[in-house]
Amino acid sequence: MSVQTSFQSPAAIALNRFGLGGRPTDAVTGDPKRWIIEQFSKFDERPALFASLDDAGEAVKNYREEQKANRRMAVGGATDTKADLKANRQDFRQNIQVLYRAGVQARADSALATDAPFVERMVHFWSNHFCVSADNAMVSAFAGAFERDAIRPHVLGTFFDMALAAEQHPAMLIYLNQYQSIGPDSIAAARNPDRKRGLNENLGREIMELHTLGVRSGYAQADVTEFARALTGWTVDGLGGDRGGTGNPDRFVFRPAQHEPGTRIILGKRYDQNGEAQARAALVDFAHSPATATHIATKLARHFAGDAPPPAMIARLAASFTSSSGDLPTLYHTLINSPEAWISTPTKFKSPWEWTISALRGIGHTRVAEMQIATLQTQLGQKVWKPGSPAGWDDIAASWAGSDALLRRVEIAQRLAAPLGDRVDARTLAPKILPASLSAVTADQIARSESPAGAIALMLVSPDFLRR
């Protein structure tokens, strides 16, 4: 595949760099910046498929209760009870896979149907920032609900409110084992001195390193430990603690008996609040820290202006974050008005998720219907909600532009194009979804294609379309 230097018009940038890819019916009229900002009022916080997702908590609760009952029966070593344990585990995993796949379908459906593609892009950005990786059944159960309940309602709110919702969501608390964390000198620890459970620093570390301050912001291991102690008691209703299994796992709960008593010193500041309020107070300070402003600004600039984000843009975004106390619409306005995000040459190579959604939008899909998006993303190398690390998926071209990855896109493009037959003419479609930006080389390749479906596939894997 040849590499060519392409040009993007402001309209194409609005559709593809800020949005999720142009649709045949899309038209950027007037000021492209205003066109993006007007989407704020069109965002659907709770689309139909997201709203209809089954709650994971009941499935998790029933599974754990059945496992406990079977283990009690297995004390005598009954082989049939061991078989029951295995069968119960398999049934649970199958049920959770159904729930996970339904969540992925809801995510893709929302991206295809939305009239607010910039805001939907920001949902995906923040979901990857406050990352949970659905590498086991328990986290898989809550992955869709995490994006629906922790990210979507706050994407046009404040950074702190989103951070609090993310850190207190069952998906995050389970993923980073916070629900099992107990203060060494807590009532729960004293009550059960022989139980092998204690302080878990995972959530405290990832909040500081990945979600707020950033890895090189000057905190020390002692700060992580102190924050982890402040977080003890933050857990999931019905999981962990002495009363595990009696509540609703869809909800956050604070358990005072698990909380480490005493004052905490974090980054030189004294926190003497009681209970849940102690970690919340620290999170407030983290969310409003200049280090957090720079960390968030850097990631946003990288996402829109290139793998090596411009320092001036980072400084401008950080100043906006700080002056607005983390108000996200204000931050988005600053982003949209940053000239570095509007340069005419493509700044980013699309990730597999971005490419899939833009391809489907480009050829006219408004819903996923029978397409299995989870399987498709696995084939393309970017499993939805499964980056395998709390750091989330990489946002640089080197992670996605390898030759094997491009070949997979070619194969998928051919599969997407085949059912269209001669109903879609790439010669007229390409200029619509890449307005005033289709290169002469790509246009010529499309025109020379041996079939209409082949022309569509060529368009979808052209350098013009692979970059935004």
Side-chain angles (χ1 to χ4, degrees):
M1 184 182 301
S2 63
V3 178
Q4 63 203 49
T5 300
S6 57
F7 165 87
Q8 292 195 351
S9 68
I13 291 171
L15 287 169
N16 297 293
R17 190 177 302 165
F18 284 91
L20 297 173
R23 299 177 296 191
T25 56
D26 283 338
V28 180
T29 57
D31 180 6
K33 295 178 183 178
R34 175 54 52 188
W35 182 80
I36 297 170
I37 292 170
E38 287 174 350
Q39 296 175 24
F40 292 13
S41 62
K42 301 177 182 178
F43 175 64
D44 186 357
E45 176 185 314
R46 200 174 175 88
L49 282 187
F50 264 121
S52 64
L53 286 180
D54 291 336
D55 289 330
E58 193 65 25
V60 170
K61 180 179 178 180
N62 290 341
Y63 164 70
R64 287 173 62 87
E65 288 177 348
E66 289 179 21
Q67 288 292 81
K68 287 180 180 179
N70 286 332
R71 286 192 184 99
R72 285 194 295 269
M73 295 172 63
V75 171
T79 55
D80 58 335
T81 306
K82 292 179 181 179
D84 288 341
L85 279 167
K86 183 177 180 180
N88 181 33
R89 190 179 299 113
Q90 290 175 338
D91 288 345
F92 174 69
R93 288 174 177 169
Q94 290 173 357
N95 292 338
I96 293 311
Q97 276 303 304
V98 171
L99 181 58
Y100 165 77
R101 289 178 176 272
V104 173
Q105 297 293 91
R107 184 187 219 236
D109 219 52
S110 301
L112 296 181
T114 185
D115 290 321
F118 168 74
V119 186
E120 203 76 27
R121 172 177 284 281
M122 295 315 303
V123 168
H124 305 159
F125 173 87
W126 291 117
S127 184
N128 192 57
H129 177 77
F130 293 103
C131 167
V132 298
S133 189
D135 301 321
N136 62 54
M138 287 274 281
V139 181
S140 295
F142 290 99
F146 177 76
E147 188 164 298
R148 180 190 66 190
D149 300 334
I151 305 300
R152 298 186 69 88
H154 303 288
V155 70
L156 293 172
T158 70
F159 177 78
F160 170 74
D161 286 343
M162 183 186 290
L164 182 64
E167 312 307 356
Q168 291 188 339
H169 195 276
M172 185 70 74
L173 296 168
I174 294 170
Y175 173 49
L176 294 176
N177 296 309
Q178 174 62 31
Y179 77 105
Q180 295 180 323
S181 185
I182 292 178
D185 298 315
S186 67
I187 295 172
R191 186 184 299 151
N192 299 285
D194 296 329
R195 294 189 69 178
K196 296 181 180 180
R197 294 172 57 195
L199 185 68
N200 189 297
E201 298 184 356
N202 290 351
L203 181 61
R205 178 176 294 103
E206 306 310 352
I207 287 176
M208 299 178 79
E209 177 178 325
L210 300 175
H211 302 168
T212 59
L213 305 172
V215 67
R216 289 178 292 274
S217 56
Y219 64 84
Q221 174 58 41
D223 297 307
V224 173
T225 301
E226 280 291 89
F227 184 43
R229 287 170 176 156
L231 283 164
T232 49
W234 286 38
T235 188
V236 180
D237 196 17
L239 301 180
D242 297 336
R243 294 177 294 171
T246 62
N248 177 5
D250 284 309
R251 296 186 311 207
F252 165 83
V253 69
F254 178 75
R255 290 205 179 99
Q258 292 179 214
H259 183 65
E260 179 73 359
T263 297
R264 310 266 75 85
I265 305 296
I266 307 171
L267 293 171
K269 182 171 179 178
R270 183 183 184 89
Y271 294 91
D272 55 10
Q273 294 85 355
N274 293 320
E276 178 193 351
Q278 190 174 62
R280 183 191 290 251
L283 185 59
V284 168
D285 288 342
F286 296 165
H288 294 91
S289 166
T292 297
T294 298
H295 182 52
I296 298 302
T298 301
K299 294 188 71 171
L300 269 177
R302 181 180 296 117
H303 191 70
F304 287 93
D307 294 356
M313 184 179 181
I314 294 172
R316 191 182 311 116
L317 290 169
S320 176
F321 185 98
T322 299
S323 64
S324 68
S325 296
D327 179 71
L328 297 182
T330 299
L331 184 63
Y332 302 154
H333 275 81
T334 303
L335 169 68
I336 293 164
N337 286 305
S338 292
E340 298 91 341
W342 291 90
I343 62 173
S344 60
T345 53
T347 62
K348 298 293 291 185
F349 189 89
K350 293 178 182 177
S351 70
W353 171 259
E354 291 173 327
W355 180 79
T356 298
I357 295 302
S358 62
L360 293 174
R361 284 173 65 91
I363 59 179
H365 286 276
T366 58
R367 54 191 298 267
V368 294
E370 300 303 316
M371 286 181 291
Q372 293 301 310
I373 302 299
T375 300
L376 187 63
Q377 290 307 112
T378 298
Q379 293 169 351
L380 288 169
Q382 190 183 24
K383 298 178 182 179
V384 180
W385 299 318
K386 294 185 178 183
S389 162
W393 292 107
D394 284 345
D395 196 15
I396 57 175
S399 298
W400 308 118
S403 57
D404 288 346
L406 291 176
L407 285 175
R408 286 195 291 270
R409 295 194 192 193
V410 170
E411 294 169 0
I412 298 297
Q414 293 170 340
R415 284 161 47 188
L416 294 177
L420 299 176
D422 59 1
R423 291 182 291 110
V424 177
D425 188 341
R427 293 171 298 180
T428 58
L429 175 62
K432 290 181 180 179
I433 61 177
L434 296 166
S437 304
L438 188 67
S439 70
V441 173
T442 297
D444 182 64
Q445 290 175 337
I446 289 173
R448 291 173 179 270
S449 177
E450 296 180 356
S451 68
I456 291 291
L458 278 171
M459 179 192 71
L460 296 180
V461 294
S462 68
D464 311 61
F465 194 86
L466 288 170
R467 295 169 173 82
R468 61 176 176 89

